[in-house]
Coordinates of all heavy atoms in Angstrom, one line a residue:
Y269 N 8.1 3.7 -28.4 CA 8.7 4.3 -27.2 C 10.2 4.3 -27.3 O 10.9 5.0 -26.6 CB 8.2 3.6 -26.0 CG 6.8 3.7 -25.7 CD1 5.9 2.7 -25.9 CD2 6.3 4.9 -25.1 CE1 4.5 2.9 -25.6 CE2 5.0 5.1 -24.8 CZ 4.1 4.1 -25.1 OH 2.8 4.3 -24.8
G270 N 10.8 3.4 -28.0 CA 12.3 3.3 -28.1 C 12.9 2.7 -26.9 O 14.1 2.7 -26.7
F271 N 12.1 2.1 -26.0 CA 12.5 1.5 -24.7 C 12.0 0.1 -24.7 O 10.8 -0.1 -24.6 CB 12.0 2.4 -23.5 CG 12.6 2.0 -22.2 CD1 13.9 2.2 -21.9 CD2 11.8 1.4 -21.3 CE1 14.4 1.8 -20.7 CE2 12.3 1.0 -20.0 CZ 13.6 1.3 -19.7
P272 N 12.8 -0.9 -24.7 CA 12.4 -2.3 -24.9 C 11.8 -2.9 -23.7 O 11.4 -4.1 -23.8 CB 13.7 -3.0 -25.3 CG 14.7 -2.2 -24.7 CD 14.3 -0.8 -24.7
A273 N 11.6 -2.2 -22.6 CA 11.1 -2.9 -21.4 C 9.6 -2.9 -21.3 O 8.9 -2.1 -22.0 CB 11.6 -2.1 -20.2
H274 N 9.1 -3.8 -20.6 CA 7.7 -3.9 -20.2 C 7.6 -3.8 -18.7 O 8.5 -4.1 -18.0 CB 7.0 -5.1 -20.8 CG 6.7 -5.0 -22.2 ND1 5.4 -5.0 -22.7 CD2 7.5 -4.9 -23.3 CE1 5.5 -4.9 -24.0 NE2 6.8 -4.9 -24.4
F275 N 6.4 -3.5 -18.2 CA 6.3 -3.3 -16.7 C 5.0 -4.0 -16.2 O 4.0 -4.2 -16.9 CB 6.1 -1.8 -16.5 CG 7.3 -1.0 -17.0 CD1 7.3 -0.5 -18.3 CD2 8.4 -0.7 -16.2 CE1 8.4 0.3 -18.7 CE2 9.5 0.0 -16.6 CZ 9.4 0.5 -17.9
I276 N 5.1 -4.3 -14.9 CA 3.9 -4.6 -14.1 C 3.9 -3.4 -13.1 O 4.9 -3.0 -12.6 CB 4.0 -6.0 -13.4 CG1 5.2 -6.2 -12.5 CG2 3.8 -7.1 -14.4 CD1 5.2 -7.4 -11.7
V277 N 2.7 -3.0 -12.8 CA 2.5 -1.8 -12.0 C 1.7 -2.1 -10.7 O 0.6 -2.7 -10.8 CB 1.8 -0.6 -12.8 CG1 1.6 0.6 -11.9 CG2 2.6 -0.3 -14.0
D278 N 2.3 -1.9 -9.6 CA 1.6 -2.2 -8.3 C 0.7 -1.0 -7.9 O 1.1 0.1 -7.7 CB 2.7 -2.3 -7.2 CG 2.1 -2.7 -5.8 OD1 0.9 -3.0 -5.8 OD2 2.9 -2.7 -4.9
Q279 N -0.6 -1.4 -7.8 CA -1.6 -0.4 -7.5 C -2.3 -0.8 -6.2 O -3.4 -0.4 -5.9 CB -2.7 -0.3 -8.6 CG -2.1 0.3 -9.9 CD -1.8 1.7 -9.7 OE1 -2.7 2.6 -9.6 NE2 -0.5 2.1 -9.7
G280 N -1.7 -1.7 -5.4 CA -2.3 -2.2 -4.2 C -2.7 -1.2 -3.1 O -3.6 -1.5 -2.3
R281 N -2.0 -0.1 -3.0 CA -2.3 0.9 -2.0 C -2.4 2.3 -2.6 O -2.1 3.3 -1.9 CB -1.3 0.8 -0.9 CG -1.3 -0.5 -0.2 CD -0.4 -0.5 1.0 NE -0.4 -1.8 1.7 CZ 0.1 -2.0 2.9 NH1 0.8 -1.1 3.5 NH2 0.0 -3.2 3.4
S282 N -2.8 2.4 -3.8 CA -2.8 3.7 -4.6 C -4.1 4.3 -4.8 O -4.2 5.2 -5.5 CB -2.1 3.5 -5.9 OG -2.9 2.7 -6.7
G283 N -5.2 3.8 -4.1 CA -6.5 4.3 -4.3 C -6.7 5.7 -3.9 O -7.6 6.4 -4.4
Q284 N -5.9 6.2 -3.0 CA -6.0 7.6 -2.5 C -4.7 8.2 -2.7 O -3.6 7.6 -2.5 CB -6.5 7.6 -1.1 CG -7.8 7.0 -0.8 CD -9.0 7.6 -1.6 OE1 -9.0 8.8 -1.7 NE2 -9.8 6.8 -2.1
Q285 N -4.7 9.5 -3.0 CA -3.4 10.2 -3.3 C -3.1 11.2 -2.2 O -4.0 11.7 -1.5 CB -3.5 10.8 -4.7 CG -3.8 9.9 -5.8 CD -2.7 8.8 -6.0 OE1 -1.5 9.2 -6.1 NE2 -3.0 7.6 -5.9
N286 N -1.8 11.6 -2.2 CA -1.3 12.8 -1.3 C -1.7 12.6 0.1 O -2.1 13.5 0.8 CB -1.9 14.1 -1.9 CG -1.5 14.3 -3.3 OD1 -0.4 14.1 -3.7 ND2 -2.5 14.7 -4.1
L287 N -1.4 11.4 0.6 CA -1.7 11.1 2.0 C -0.4 11.2 2.9 O -0.5 11.4 4.1 CB -2.2 9.6 2.2 CG -3.5 9.3 1.4 CD1 -3.8 7.9 1.5 CD2 -4.7 10.2 2.0
R288 N 0.7 11.1 2.3 CA 2.0 11.0 3.1 C 2.4 12.4 3.5 O 2.3 13.4 2.7 CB 3.1 10.4 2.3 CG 2.9 8.9 2.1 CD 3.8 8.4 1.0 NE 3.8 6.9 0.9 CZ 2.9 6.3 0.2 NH1 1.9 6.9 -0.4 NH2 2.9 5.0 0.2
V289 N 2.9 12.6 4.7 CA 3.5 13.8 5.2 C 4.8 14.1 4.4 O 5.0 15.2 4.0 CB 3.7 13.8 6.7 CG1 4.4 15.1 7.1 CG2 2.4 13.7 7.4
A290 N 5.6 13.1 4.2 CA 6.8 13.2 3.5 C 6.9 12.0 2.5 O 6.4 10.9 2.7 CB 8.0 13.1 4.4
W291 N 7.5 12.2 1.3 CA 7.5 11.2 0.3 C 8.1 9.9 0.8 O 7.6 8.8 0.4 CB 8.4 11.7 -0.9 CG 8.5 10.7 -2.0 CD1 9.6 10.0 -2.4 CD2 7.4 10.2 -2.8 NE1 9.3 9.1 -3.4 CE2 8.0 9.2 -3.7 CE3 6.1 10.5 -2.9 CZ2 7.2 8.6 -4.6 CZ3 5.3 9.8 -3.8 CH2 5.9 8.9 -4.7
G292 N 9.1 9.8 1.6 CA 9.6 8.6 2.1 C 8.8 7.8 3.1 O 9.2 6.7 3.5
D293 N 7.8 8.4 3.6 CA 6.9 7.7 4.6 C 6.3 6.5 3.9 O 5.7 6.6 2.8 CB 5.9 8.6 5.1 CG 6.5 9.8 5.9 OD1 7.7 9.8 6.1 OD2 5.7 10.6 6.4
W294 N 6.4 5.3 4.5 CA 5.9 4.1 3.8 C 5.1 3.2 4.7 O 4.5 2.2 4.2 CB 7.1 3.3 3.3 CG 8.1 3.0 4.4 CD1 9.2 3.8 4.7 CD2 8.1 1.9 5.3 NE1 9.8 3.3 5.8 CE2 9.2 2.1 6.2 CE3 7.3 0.8 5.4 CZ2 9.5 1.2 7.2 CZ3 7.6 -0.1 6.5 CH2 8.6 0.1 7.3
C295 N 5.0 3.4 6.0 CA 4.5 2.4 6.9 C 3.0 2.6 7.2 O 2.6 3.6 7.7 CB 5.3 2.4 8.2 SG 4.9 1.0 9.3
N296 N 2.2 1.6 6.7 CA 0.7 1.6 7.1 C 0.1 3.0 6.9 O -0.5 3.5 7.8 CB 0.5 1.1 8.5 CG 1.2 -0.3 8.7 OD1 1.0 -1.2 7.9 ND2 1.9 -0.4 9.9
I297 N 0.2 3.6 5.8 CA -0.2 4.9 5.5 C -1.7 5.0 5.8 O -2.5 4.3 5.2 CB 0.2 5.4 4.1 CG1 1.7 5.4 4.0 CG2 -0.4 6.8 3.9 CD1 2.4 6.3 4.9
K298 N -2.1 6.0 6.7 CA -3.5 6.2 7.0 C -4.3 6.7 5.8 O -3.8 7.5 5.0 CB -3.6 7.3 8.1 CG -3.3 6.8 9.5 CD -3.8 7.8 10.5 CE -2.7 8.8 10.8 NZ -3.0 9.7 12.0
G299 N -5.5 6.1 5.6 CA -6.4 6.6 4.5 C -6.1 5.9 3.2 O -6.8 6.2 2.2
A300 N -5.1 5.0 3.1 CA -4.8 4.4 1.9 C -5.9 3.4 1.5 O -6.6 2.9 2.3 CB -3.5 3.6 2.0
G301 N -6.1 3.2 0.2 CA -7.1 2.3 -0.3 C -6.5 1.5 -1.5 O -5.6 1.9 -2.1
F302 N -7.2 0.4 -1.7 CA -6.8 -0.4 -2.9 C -7.0 0.5 -4.2 O -7.9 1.3 -4.2 CB -7.7 -1.6 -3.1 CG -7.4 -2.7 -2.1 CD1 -8.4 -3.1 -1.2 CD2 -6.1 -3.3 -2.0 CE1 -8.1 -4.1 -0.3 CE2 -5.9 -4.3 -1.1 CZ -6.9 -4.7 -0.2
G303 N -6.1 0.3 -5.1 CA -6.2 1.1 -6.4 C -6.8 0.3 -7.5 O -7.7 -0.5 -7.3
M304 N -6.3 0.6 -8.7 CA -6.9 -0.1 -9.9 C -6.9 -1.6 -9.6 O -5.9 -2.2 -9.1 CB -6.0 0.2 -11.1 CG -6.2 1.6 -11.6 SD -5.1 2.0 -13.0 CE -5.7 0.8 -14.2
H305 N -7.9 -2.3 -10.1 CA -8.1 -3.7 -9.9 C -7.0 -4.5 -10.7 O -6.7 -4.1 -11.8 CB -9.5 -4.2 -10.2 CG -10.5 -3.5 -9.4 ND1 -11.9 -3.7 -9.7 CD2 -10.5 -2.7 -8.3 CE1 -12.6 -3.0 -8.8 NE2 -11.7 -2.3 -8.0
P306 N -6.5 -5.6 -10.2 CA -5.5 -6.3 -10.9 C -6.1 -6.8 -12.3 O -7.2 -7.2 -12.3 CB -5.2 -7.5 -10.0 CG -5.5 -7.0 -8.6 CD -6.7 -6.1 -8.8
T307 N -5.3 -6.7 -13.3 CA -5.7 -7.0 -14.6 C -4.5 -7.1 -15.6 O -3.4 -6.6 -15.3 CB -6.7 -6.0 -15.2 OG1 -7.2 -6.4 -16.5 CG2 -6.0 -4.6 -15.3
T308 N -4.7 -7.8 -16.7 CA -3.7 -7.8 -17.8 C -4.3 -6.9 -18.9 O -3.6 -6.7 -19.9 CB -3.4 -9.2 -18.3 OG1 -4.6 -9.8 -18.6 CG2 -2.7 -10.0 -17.2
S309 N -5.4 -6.4 -18.8 CA -6.0 -5.5 -19.8 C -5.7 -4.1 -19.3 O -6.3 -3.5 -18.5 CB -7.5 -5.7 -19.8 OG -8.1 -4.7 -20.7
T310 N -4.6 -3.5 -19.8 CA -4.0 -2.3 -19.3 C -4.1 -1.1 -20.3 O -4.4 -1.4 -21.5 CB -2.5 -2.5 -19.0 OG1 -1.8 -2.7 -20.2 CG2 -2.3 -3.7 -18.1
P311 N -4.0 0.1 -19.8 CA -4.2 1.3 -20.6 C -3.0 1.6 -21.6 O -3.1 2.5 -22.4 CB -4.3 2.4 -19.6 CG -3.6 1.9 -18.4 CD -3.8 0.5 -18.4
D312 N -1.9 0.8 -21.5 CA -0.7 1.1 -22.3 C 0.0 -0.2 -22.7 O 0.1 -1.2 -21.9 CB 0.2 2.0 -21.5 CG 1.3 2.6 -22.4 OD1 2.0 1.8 -23.0 OD2 1.4 3.8 -22.4
A313 N 0.4 -0.3 -23.9 CA 1.1 -1.6 -24.4 C 2.3 -2.0 -23.7 O 2.7 -3.2 -23.6 CB 1.4 -1.4 -25.9
I314 N 3.0 -1.0 -23.0 CA 4.2 -1.4 -22.3 C 3.9 -1.9 -20.8 O 4.8 -2.3 -20.1 CB 5.3 -0.3 -22.3 CG1 4.9 0.9 -21.6 CG2 5.7 0.0 -23.7 CD1 6.0 1.9 -21.3
I315 N 2.7 -1.8 -20.4 CA 2.3 -2.2 -19.1 C 1.6 -3.6 -19.3 O 0.6 -3.7 -19.9 CB 1.3 -1.3 -18.4 CG1 1.9 0.1 -18.2 CG2 0.8 -1.8 -17.1 CD1 0.9 1.2 -17.7
D316 N 2.3 -4.6 -18.8 CA 1.8 -6.0 -19.0 C 0.7 -6.3 -18.0 O -0.1 -7.2 -18.3 CB 3.0 -7.0 -18.8 CG 4.0 -6.9 -19.9 OD1 3.6 -6.6 -21.1 OD2 5.2 -7.2 -19.7
A317 N 0.8 -5.7 -16.8 CA -0.2 -6.1 -15.8 C -0.3 -5.0 -14.7 O 0.7 -4.3 -14.4 CB 0.1 -7.4 -15.2
I318 N -1.5 -4.9 -14.2 CA -1.7 -4.1 -13.0 C -1.9 -5.1 -11.9 O -2.6 -6.1 -12.0 CB -3.0 -3.2 -13.1 CG1 -3.0 -2.3 -14.3 CG2 -3.3 -2.5 -11.7 CD1 -2.0 -1.2 -14.2
V319 N -1.1 -5.0 -10.8 CA -1.2 -6.0 -9.7 C -1.3 -5.3 -8.3 O -1.1 -4.1 -8.2 CB 0.1 -6.8 -9.7 CG1 0.2 -7.6 -11.0 CG2 1.4 -6.0 -9.5
W320 N -1.6 -6.1 -7.3 CA -1.6 -5.8 -5.9 C -0.5 -6.7 -5.3 O -0.8 -7.8 -5.0 CB -2.9 -5.9 -5.2 CG -4.0 -5.1 -5.7 CD1 -3.9 -4.0 -6.5 CD2 -5.4 -5.2 -5.3 NE1 -5.2 -3.4 -6.7 CE2 -6.1 -4.1 -6.0 CE3 -6.1 -6.1 -4.6 CZ2 -7.4 -4.0 -5.8 CZ3 -7.5 -5.9 -4.4 CH2 -8.1 -4.9 -5.1
V321 N 0.7 -6.2 -5.2 CA 1.8 -7.1 -4.8 C 1.7 -7.5 -3.4 O 1.8 -8.7 -3.1 CB 3.2 -6.3 -5.1 CG1 4.3 -7.1 -4.5 CG2 3.4 -6.1 -6.6
K322 N 1.6 -6.6 -2.5 CA 1.5 -6.9 -1.1 C 0.1 -7.3 -0.7 O -0.8 -6.6 -1.0 CB 2.0 -5.7 -0.2 CG 2.2 -6.0 1.2 CD 2.8 -4.8 2.0 CE 2.9 -5.0 3.4 NZ 4.1 -5.6 3.9
P323 N -0.1 -8.4 0.1 CA -1.4 -8.7 0.5 C -2.0 -7.6 1.4 O -1.3 -7.0 2.2 CB -1.2 -10.0 1.4 CG 0.0 -10.6 0.9 CD 0.9 -9.4 0.5
G324 N -3.2 -7.2 1.1 CA -3.8 -6.0 1.7 C -3.8 -5.9 3.2 O -3.7 -4.9 3.7
G325 N -4.0 -7.0 3.9 CA -4.0 -7.0 5.3 C -2.7 -7.2 6.0 O -2.6 -7.3 7.2
E326 N -1.6 -7.3 5.2 CA -0.3 -7.6 5.8 C 0.3 -6.3 6.3 O 0.5 -5.3 5.6 CB 0.6 -8.2 4.8 CG 2.0 -8.6 5.3 CD 2.8 -9.3 4.2 OE1 2.4 -10.4 3.8 OE2 3.8 -8.7 3.8
C327 N 0.6 -6.3 7.6 CA 1.2 -5.1 8.3 C 2.6 -4.8 7.8 O 3.4 -5.7 7.6 CB 1.2 -5.3 9.8 SG 1.6 -3.8 10.7
D328 N 2.9 -3.5 7.6 CA 4.2 -3.0 7.2 C 5.2 -3.1 8.3 O 6.4 -3.3 8.1 CB 4.2 -1.6 6.6 CG 3.4 -1.5 5.3 OD1 3.4 -2.5 4.5 OD2 2.8 -0.4 5.1
G329 N 4.7 -2.8 9.5 CA 5.6 -2.8 10.7 C 4.8 -2.3 11.9 O 3.8 -1.7 11.8
T330 N 5.4 -2.6 13.1 CA 4.7 -2.3 14.3 C 5.0 -0.8 14.8 O 6.1 -0.3 14.5 CB 5.2 -3.2 15.4 OG1 4.4 -2.9 16.6 CG2 6.6 -3.2 15.7
S331 N 4.0 -0.3 15.4 CA 4.2 1.1 16.0 C 4.6 0.9 17.5 O 4.7 1.9 18.2 CB 2.8 1.8 15.9 OG 1.8 1.1 16.5
N332 N 4.8 -0.3 18.0 CA 5.1 -0.5 19.4 C 6.6 -0.3 19.5 O 7.5 -1.1 19.1 CB 4.8 -2.0 19.8 CG 5.1 -2.3 21.2 OD1 5.8 -1.6 21.9 ND2 4.7 -3.5 21.6
S333 N 7.0 0.8 20.2 CA 8.4 1.1 20.3 C 9.2 0.2 21.2 O 10.5 0.2 21.1 CB 8.6 2.6 20.8 OG 8.0 2.7 22.1
S334 N 8.6 -0.7 21.9 CA 9.3 -1.6 22.8 C 9.6 -2.9 22.0 O 10.3 -3.8 22.5 CB 8.5 -1.9 24.1 OG 7.3 -2.6 23.8
S335 N 9.1 -3.1 20.8 CA 9.3 -4.3 20.0 C 10.7 -4.3 19.4 O 11.2 -3.3 19.0 CB 8.3 -4.3 18.9 OG 8.6 -5.4 18.0
A336 N 11.3 -5.5 19.4 CA 12.6 -5.7 18.8 C 12.6 -5.3 17.3 O 13.7 -4.8 16.8 CB 13.1 -7.1 18.9
R337 N 11.5 -5.4 16.6 CA 11.5 -5.1 15.2 C 10.8 -3.7 14.9 O 10.5 -3.4 13.8 CB 10.6 -6.2 14.5 CG 11.3 -7.5 14.6 CD 10.5 -8.6 13.9 NE 10.2 -8.4 12.5 CZ 9.2 -8.9 11.9 NH1 8.3 -9.7 12.5 NH2 9.0 -8.6 10.6
Y338 N 10.8 -2.9 15.9 CA 10.2 -1.5 15.8 C 11.0 -0.7 14.7 O 12.2 -0.7 14.7 CB 10.2 -0.8 17.1 CG 9.8 0.6 17.1 CD1 8.5 1.0 16.8 CD2 10.8 1.6 17.3 CE1 8.2 2.3 16.8 CE2 10.4 3.0 17.3 CZ 9.1 3.3 17.0 OH 8.7 4.6 17.0
D339 N 10.2 0.0 13.9 CA 10.8 1.0 13.0 C 10.1 2.3 13.2 O 8.8 2.4 13.2 CB 10.6 0.6 11.5 CG 11.3 1.5 10.5 OD1 11.1 2.7 10.6 OD2 12.0 0.9 9.7
S340 N 10.8 3.4 13.5 CA 10.2 4.7 13.9 C 9.2 5.2 12.8 O 8.3 6.0 13.1 CB 11.2 5.7 14.3 OG 12.1 5.9 13.2
T341 N 9.4 4.8 11.6 CA 8.5 5.2 10.5 C 7.1 4.8 10.8 O 6.2 5.5 10.4 CB 9.0 4.7 9.1 OG1 10.4 5.0 8.9 CG2 8.2 5.2 8.0
C342 N 6.9 3.7 11.5 CA 5.6 3.2 11.8 C 4.9 3.9 12.9 O 3.8 3.6 13.3 CB 5.7 1.7 12.1 SG 6.3 0.8 10.7
S343 N 5.6 4.9 13.5 CA 5.0 5.8 14.5 C 4.8 7.2 14.1 O 4.4 8.1 14.9 CB 5.8 5.8 15.8 OG 5.7 4.5 16.4
L344 N 5.0 7.5 12.8 CA 4.8 8.8 12.3 C 3.4 9.2 12.2 O 2.5 8.3 12.3 CB 5.5 9.0 10.9 CG 7.0 8.8 10.8 CD1 7.5 8.8 9.4 CD2 7.7 9.9 11.6
S345 N 3.1 10.4 12.1 CA 1.7 10.9 12.1 C 0.8 10.4 11.0 O -0.4 10.3 11.1 CB 1.6 12.4 12.2 OG 2.2 13.0 11.0
D346 N 1.4 10.0 9.9 CA 0.6 9.5 8.7 C 0.5 7.9 8.7 O 0.0 7.4 7.8 CB 1.2 10.0 7.4 CG 2.7 9.7 7.2 OD1 3.3 9.1 8.0 OD2 3.2 10.2 6.2
A347 N 1.0 7.3 9.8 CA 1.0 5.8 9.9 C -0.2 5.4 10.8 O -0.4 6.0 11.8 CB 2.3 5.3 10.4
K348 N -1.0 4.4 10.3 CA -2.1 4.0 11.1 C -1.6 3.2 12.4 O -0.7 2.4 12.2 CB -3.0 3.0 10.3 CG -4.3 2.6 11.1 CD -5.3 2.1 10.1 CE -6.6 1.7 10.8 NZ -7.4 2.9 11.1
Q349 N -2.1 3.6 13.5 CA -1.7 3.0 14.8 C -2.9 2.7 15.7 O -3.9 3.3 15.5 CB -0.8 4.0 15.5 CG 0.5 4.4 14.7 CD 1.2 5.5 15.3 OE1 1.4 5.6 16.5 NE2 1.6 6.5 14.5
P350 N -2.8 1.7 16.6 CA -1.6 0.9 16.8 C -1.5 -0.2 15.8 O -2.5 -0.7 15.3 CB -1.9 0.3 18.2 CG -3.4 0.3 18.3 CD -3.9 1.5 17.5
A351 N -0.3 -0.5 15.4 CA 0.0 -1.5 14.4 C 0.8 -2.7 14.9 O 1.7 -2.5 15.8 CB 0.8 -0.9 13.2
P352 N 0.4 -3.9 14.5 CA 1.1 -5.1 15.0 C 2.5 -5.3 14.3 O 2.9 -4.4 13.5 CB 0.1 -6.2 14.6 CG -0.6 -5.7 13.4 CD -0.7 -4.2 13.6
E353 N 3.1 -6.4 14.5 CA 4.4 -6.7 13.9 C 4.3 -6.8 12.4 O 3.2 -7.2 11.8 CB 4.9 -8.1 14.4 CG 5.3 -8.1 15.9 CD 6.7 -7.4 16.1 OE1 7.5 -7.2 15.1 OE2 6.9 -6.9 17.2
A354 N 5.4 -6.5 11.7 CA 5.4 -6.6 10.3 C 5.1 -8.0 9.8 O 5.5 -9.0 10.4 CB 6.8 -6.2 9.8
G355 N 4.3 -8.1 8.7 CA 4.0 -9.4 8.2 C 2.8 -10.1 8.8 O 2.3 -11.1 8.3
T356 N 2.3 -9.5 9.9 CA 1.1 -10.1 10.5 C -0.2 -9.5 10.0 O -0.1 -8.4 9.4 CB 1.2 -10.0 12.1 OG1 1.2 -8.7 12.5 CG2 2.4 -10.8 12.6
W357 N -1.3 -10.1 10.3 CA -2.6 -9.5 9.8 C -2.9 -8.3 10.6 O -2.8 -8.3 11.8 CB -3.7 -10.6 9.9 CG -5.0 -10.1 9.4 CD1 -6.1 -9.7 10.1 CD2 -5.3 -10.0 8.0 NE1 -7.1 -9.4 9.2 CE2 -6.7 -9.5 7.9 CE3 -4.7 -10.2 6.8 CZ2 -7.3 -9.3 6.8 CZ3 -5.3 -10.0 5.6 CH2 -6.6 -9.5 5.6
F358 N -3.3 -7.2 9.8 CA -3.7 -5.9 10.4 C -5.1 -5.6 9.9 O -5.3 -5.0 8.9 CB -2.7 -4.9 10.0 CG -2.8 -3.6 10.7 CD1 -3.7 -3.3 11.7 CD2 -1.9 -2.5 10.3 CE1 -3.7 -2.1 12.3 CE2 -1.9 -1.3 10.9 CZ -2.8 -1.1 11.9
E359 N -6.1 -6.2 10.7 CA -7.5 -6.1 10.3 C -8.0 -4.7 10.0 O -8.6 -4.4 9.1 CB -8.4 -6.8 11.3 CG -9.9 -6.7 11.0 CD -10.3 -7.6 9.8 OE1 -9.6 -8.6 9.5 OE2 -11.3 -7.3 9.2
A360 N -7.6 -3.7 11.0 CA -8.1 -2.3 10.8 C -7.6 -1.7 9.6 O -8.3 -0.9 8.9 CB -7.7 -1.5 12.1
Y361 N -6.3 -2.0 9.2 CA -5.7 -1.5 8.0 C -6.4 -2.1 6.7 O -6.7 -1.4 5.8 CB -4.2 -1.7 8.0 CG -3.5 -0.9 6.9 CD1 -3.5 0.5 7.1 CD2 -2.9 -1.4 5.8 CE1 -2.8 1.3 6.1 CE2 -2.2 -0.6 4.9 CZ -2.2 0.7 5.1 OH -1.6 1.5 4.1
F362 N -6.7 -3.4 6.8 CA -7.4 -4.0 5.7 C -8.7 -3.4 5.4 O -9.1 -3.1 4.3 CB -7.5 -5.5 5.9 CG -8.3 -6.2 4.9 CD1 -7.8 -6.5 3.6 CD2 -9.6 -6.6 5.1 CE1 -8.5 -7.2 2.7 CE2 -10.4 -7.2 4.1 CZ -9.8 -7.5 2.9
E363 N -9.5 -3.1 6.5 CA -10.8 -2.5 6.4 C -10.7 -1.1 5.8 O -11.5 -0.7 5.0 CB -11.4 -2.4 7.8 CG -11.8 -3.8 8.3 CD -12.3 -3.8 9.7 OE1 -12.5 -2.7 10.3 OE2 -12.5 -4.9 10.3
D364 N -9.6 -0.4 6.1 CA -9.4 0.9 5.5 C -9.1 0.8 4.0 O -9.6 1.6 3.2 CB -8.2 1.7 6.2 CG -8.6 2.3 7.5 OD1 -9.7 2.2 7.9 OD2 -7.6 2.8 8.1
L365 N -8.3 -0.2 3.6 CA -8.0 -0.4 2.2 C -9.2 -0.7 1.4 O -9.4 -0.2 0.3 CB -7.0 -1.5 2.0 CG -5.6 -1.2 2.5 CD1 -4.7 -2.5 2.5 CD2 -4.9 -0.1 1.7
V366 N -10.2 -1.4 2.0 CA -11.4 -1.7 1.3 C -12.3 -0.4 1.3 O -12.9 -0.1 0.3 CB -12.2 -2.9 2.0 CG1 -13.6 -3.0 1.5 CG2 -11.3 -4.2 1.9
T367 N -12.4 0.2 2.4 CA -13.3 1.4 2.5 C -12.8 2.5 1.6 O -13.7 3.2 0.9 CB -13.2 2.0 4.0 OG1 -13.8 1.0 4.9 CG2 -14.0 3.3 4.1
Y368 N -11.5 2.7 1.5 CA -11.0 3.8 0.6 C -10.6 3.4 -0.7 O -9.9 4.2 -1.5 CB -9.8 4.5 1.4 CG -10.2 5.1 2.7 CD1 -9.6 4.6 3.9 CD2 -11.2 6.1 2.8 CE1 -10.0 5.1 5.1 CE2 -11.6 6.6 4.1 CZ -11.0 6.1 5.2 OH -11.4 6.6 6.4
A369 N -10.9 2.2 -1.1 CA -10.6 1.7 -2.5 C -11.1 2.6 -3.6 O -12.2 3.1 -3.5 CB -11.1 0.3 -2.7
N370 N -10.3 2.8 -4.6 CA -10.7 3.7 -5.7 C -10.1 3.1 -7.0 O -8.8 3.2 -7.1 CB -10.2 5.1 -5.5 CG -10.7 6.0 -6.6 OD1 -11.6 5.7 -7.3 ND2 -10.0 7.2 -6.7
P371 N -10.8 2.5 -7.8 CA -12.3 2.3 -7.8 C -12.8 1.4 -6.7 O -12.0 0.6 -6.2 CB -12.6 1.7 -9.2 CG -11.4 1.0 -9.6 CD -10.3 1.8 -9.0
A372 N -14.0 1.6 -6.3 CA -14.6 0.8 -5.2 C -14.6 -0.6 -5.6 O -14.6 -1.0 -6.7 CB -16.0 1.3 -5.0
L373 N -14.5 -1.5 -4.5 CA -14.5 -2.9 -4.7 C -16.0 -3.4 -4.9 O -16.9 -2.8 -4.4 CB -13.9 -3.6 -3.5 CG -12.4 -3.3 -3.3 CD1 -11.9 -4.0 -2.1 CD2 -11.6 -3.7 -4.5

C-alpha cells in the first residue's frame, strides 16, 4: 500500500446504509443497526480490528428542546425520538440496533 498506518474500523451502527437525510446528521439515527461483528480477523491486512466503539444503548443526545444539553440535531427527522439525555441508556434505540443488525446477531 505504501502507507505505513493500520486501522481499527468502527462498525457499531453501520448495519444499515443510506439512512441519513444529510451526511452530517449523527444523532440516534432511525433504522440504524449493529454492523460487522467485532473481530481481529479482518478482510484486509491494514485493518487491525473491527470494533463497536460506542455502547449500543448509549444515547447520542436528547430530543427534549427544554433540556440544558439539547442539540437540535437530535430533533431532526432522521433521529429516533423521544430520546433521553446523552450518555444515558436508550432502550428503544438499543432494540432497533439489534433488530436492524446486519449481519444478524
Side-chain angles (χ1 to χ4, degrees):
Y269 293 106
F271 187 69
H274 281 246
F275 302 89
I276 56 172
V277 179
D278 182 9
Q279 295 288 291
R281 296 183 178 192
S282 68
Q284 302 299 319
Q285 302 297 308
N286 303 314
L287 300 173
R288 291 167 172 80
V289 173
W291 178 249
D293 295 358
W294 55 269
C295 192
N296 305 315
I297 299 300
K298 283 194 271 187
F302 289 120
M304 291 176 63
H305 300 173
T307 184
T308 55
S309 178
T310 69
D312 195 302
I314 65 169
I315 300 173
D316 291 331
I318 304 293
V319 298
W320 294 348
V321 173
K322 186 175 176 94
E326 185 177 295
C327 188
D328 293 330
T330 184
S331 56
N332 179 352
S333 61
S334 67
S335 171
R337 297 176 59 203
Y338 173 68
D339 186 310
S340 61
T341 305
C342 299
S343 291
L344 295 175
S345 63
D346 54 4
K348 187 164 182 79
Q349 300 171 46
E353 290 286 337
T356 61
W357 184 254
F358 191 0
E359 180 69 25
Y361 195 65
F362 176 76
E363 291 173 8
D364 284 354
L365 291 171
V366 170
T367 298
Y368 301 119
N370 183 20
L373 297 178

